[in-house]
Amino acid sequence: MPLKTVICIGMAGSGKTTFMQRLNSHLHAAKSPPYVVQLDPAVLNVPYGANIDIRDSVKYKKVMENYNLGPNGAIVTSLNLFSTKIDQVIKLVENKRDKYEHCIIDTPGQIECFVWSASGAIITESFASTFPTVIAYIVDTPRNSSPTTFMSNMLYACSILYKTKLPMVVVFNKTDVCKADFAREWMTDFEAFQDALRQDQELNGETGMGSGYMGSLVNSMSLMLEEFYSQLDMVGVSSYTGEGFDEFLTAVDKKVDEYESYYKAERERILKQKEEEEKTKKQKSLEHLMKDLGLKDEQNAENAKQEEADVLSDFEEGENDGIVLRDEDEGVEREYTFAEGDRMSGEVNGKSTPDLQKRYEEAFQKVAKSASSETAENIARYIRQ
């Protein structure tokens, strides 16, 4: 059984953390405890045990002080620092794939800091390329009872779906306050949504479907999103009562099958295409260099091969550098991806990791020296010719 990864994404206040807590307890009650990853560096208290917590690797307040950043900038920078160790995170999760059936990931409440940042894309891509991954988009049901607000949330869900290119389950949370039947009807019956939109306009003093820019836009968007709705699974849950979580896990299993059948093959095709494009780009650059300097094929290929071998990545940390494993805390095995110095300072620099900094400097000097000598030799050869 492959390890299923569920990445929980949603607007601030939609109930992601409470949803994570209930999902965690629900899986524990089913004798299938999940592997939990917490990626919100600014949260004060987490109501569930986390196997990997970003706050143990990066100190949010220290990042704000060291880089003179505001709250959102510090969240993005913390995620950037954490994403430099994502390969170690993946290895930690891979080592537990025989013990756990689910890996659930909590993301920052500032949704744009994760979804639209480079680090968020790196983290999502890393998990999706290793494990069957599903996006759980959490929606605040009571606040989406208005057709225009509902449409705004669906457009955001649509953008996330096409940004991540992963299967998605739309989770209408807080059904103990407001049932999600209206949302299911709006997603499956266009006329029902039109009627609701008309009633909302009349309630606000507008008459007719065409009156007002917003009404016309929302009406057009509902037609456009019909195909989008057909690709989604929608469930209603209550993180307070636990209602609907069995249905949610069933939807996740369905999306995992969809991932294996469609998304995995598509991702492999995209990666292969990128690899071929990069290979073609390198070949063209090599040909231009040969033409400019008048080098022979064999000599130029040998130089290119040597340059390719002496990049800084060859001098990076070893396979297990920076991993600190600790004893169980409150019944949860905690695993860390940063060295002790990194967790205290909140940044990666020459003071916190002197050995790494020294290796980078030595590698840079070596590459610069080699490049300058080869350039001088090539220019002299060109002049002679």
Side-chain angles (χ1 to χ4, degrees):
M1 180 69 69
L3 181 69
K4 308 164 190 173
T5 301
V6 180
I7 302 178
C8 298
I9 298 175
M11 299 288 185
S14 60
K16 289 188 305 301
T17 302
T18 312
F19 174 83
M20 282 280 297
Q21 179 188 20
R22 176 60 69 173
L23 179 59
N24 184 32
S25 62
H26 185 84
L27 290 170
H28 271 87
K31 308 299 181 184
S32 179
Y35 195 87
V36 183
V37 180
Q38 201 286 115
L39 294 182
D40 190 349
V43 67
L44 292 178
N45 298 307
V46 177
Y48 52 81
N51 299 87
I52 296 177
D53 194 328
I54 188 175
R55 297 175 302 167
D56 297 320
S57 299
V58 182
K59 299 301 181 184
Y60 172 72
K61 289 186 177 179
K62 288 290 184 181
V63 170
M64 292 182 69
E65 294 173 3
N66 293 341
Y67 297 101
N68 296 319
L69 297 171
N72 284 4
I75 291 175
V76 173
T77 305
S78 298
L79 287 170
N80 290 343
L81 291 170
F82 186 81
S83 65
T84 62
K85 301 287 185 176
I86 191 61
D87 57 329
Q88 296 182 21
V89 174
I90 296 298
K91 286 178 183 177
L92 289 172
V93 180
E94 272 191 314
N95 292 337
K96 300 299 177 70
R97 67 191 314 163
D98 295 332
K99 184 179 178 181
Y100 296 93
E101 186 177 346
H102 295 86
C103 174
I104 57 178
I105 302 174
D106 194 9
T107 59
Q110 288 74 9
I111 186 171
E112 68 282 356
C113 294
F114 182 82
V115 174
W116 304 109
S117 67
S119 54
I122 290 171
I123 293 170
T124 304
E125 290 280 341
S126 299
F127 275 97
S129 61
T130 311
F131 312 104
T133 303
V134 178
I135 301 295
Y137 183 68
I138 316 299
V139 178
D140 187 341
T141 307
R143 295 188 179 276
N144 281 269
S145 55
S146 166
T148 52
T149 309
F150 172 82
M151 183 56 59
S152 299
N153 241 305
M154 291 301 100
L155 286 172
Y156 210 108
C158 181
S159 66
I160 292 174
L161 176 67
Y162 288 103
K163 174 71 169 61
T164 60
K165 296 181 176 63
L166 290 170
M168 176 182 287
V169 178
V170 178
V171 181
F172 282 87
N173 197 13
K174 306 181 184 180
T175 55
D176 55 295
V177 178
C178 176
K179 294 295 183 182
D181 297 337
F182 71 91
R184 191 184 302 275
E185 184 181 18
W186 289 352
M187 294 173 69
T188 55
D189 188 346
F190 171 70
E191 293 183 357
F193 181 79
Q194 279 188 320
D195 292 338
L197 183 59
R198 185 182 298 109
Q199 292 174 10
D200 185 65
Q201 289 175 331
E202 291 175 354
L203 185 64
N204 290 299
E206 298 178 359
T207 57
M209 288 297 297
S211 61
Y213 171 75
M214 181 58 71
S216 177
L217 176 63
V218 172
N219 189 40
S220 301
M221 290 296 101
S222 63
L223 284 170
M224 183 273 291
L225 290 178
E226 189 173 359
E227 180 66 23
F228 167 67
Y229 292 149
S230 65
Q231 305 299 321
L232 291 179
D233 276 14
M234 174 264 182
V235 297
V237 303
S238 170
S239 299
Y240 180 73
T241 64
E243 178 187 1
F245 277 83
D246 287 328
E247 184 183 354
F248 170 74
L249 292 174
T250 301
V252 168
D253 292 338
K254 179 181 176 182
K255 288 299 179 182
V256 166
D257 294 337
E258 186 178 314
Y259 171 91
E260 296 288 352
S261 302
Y262 302 103
Y263 285 83
K264 186 177 180 180
E266 179 64 15
R267 293 179 71 81
E268 290 175 352
R269 184 192 68 79
I270 292 173
L271 289 174
K272 186 177 179 180
Q273 182 180 350
K274 286 183 178 179
E275 184 179 350
E276 291 176 353
E277 290 175 354
E278 187 67 24
K279 189 175 180 181
T280 303
K281 186 178 179 181
K282 287 183 178 180
Q283 183 62 31
K284 287 183 178 179
S285 299
L286 195 61
E287 290 174 357
H288 285 307
L289 180 63
M290 290 169 56
K291 184 177 179 181
D292 292 341
L293 299 178
L295 300 178
K296 294 181 180 180
D297 291 356
E298 294 181 0
Q299 185 177 5
N300 193 75
E302 184 65 27
N303 291 340
K305 183 177 180 181
Q306 181 64 29
E307 289 180 7
E308 197 171 323
D310 289 336
V311 295
L312 292 180
S313 59
D314 294 330
F315 299 90
E316 289 180 352
E317 294 176 289
E319 182 176 324
N320 297 314
D321 291 351
I323 299 181
V324 181
L325 302 179
R326 298 197 176 184
D327 296 332
E328 294 187 1
D329 181 17
E330 299 181 357
V332 176
E333 182 181 353
R334 301 294 291 275
E335 302 181 84
Y336 303 88
T337 58
F338 275 50
E340 185 68 25
D342 298 338
R343 296 199 303 274
M344 296 302 295
S345 65
E347 61 175 334
V348 180
N349 54 32
K351 295 181 180 179
S352 59
T353 53
D355 294 337
L356 178 61
Q357 184 72 12
K358 184 178 179 181
R359 289 203 298 272
Y360 267 84
E361 291 177 357
E362 291 175 353
F364 178 78
Q365 292 173 0
K366 182 178 178 181
V367 174
K369 183 178 180 181
S370 175
S372 62
S373 61
E374 289 179 5
T375 301
E377 183 180 347
N378 291 335
I379 291 174
R381 187 183 298 107
Y382 180 76
I383 293 173
R384 289 197 300 270
Q385 292 176 353

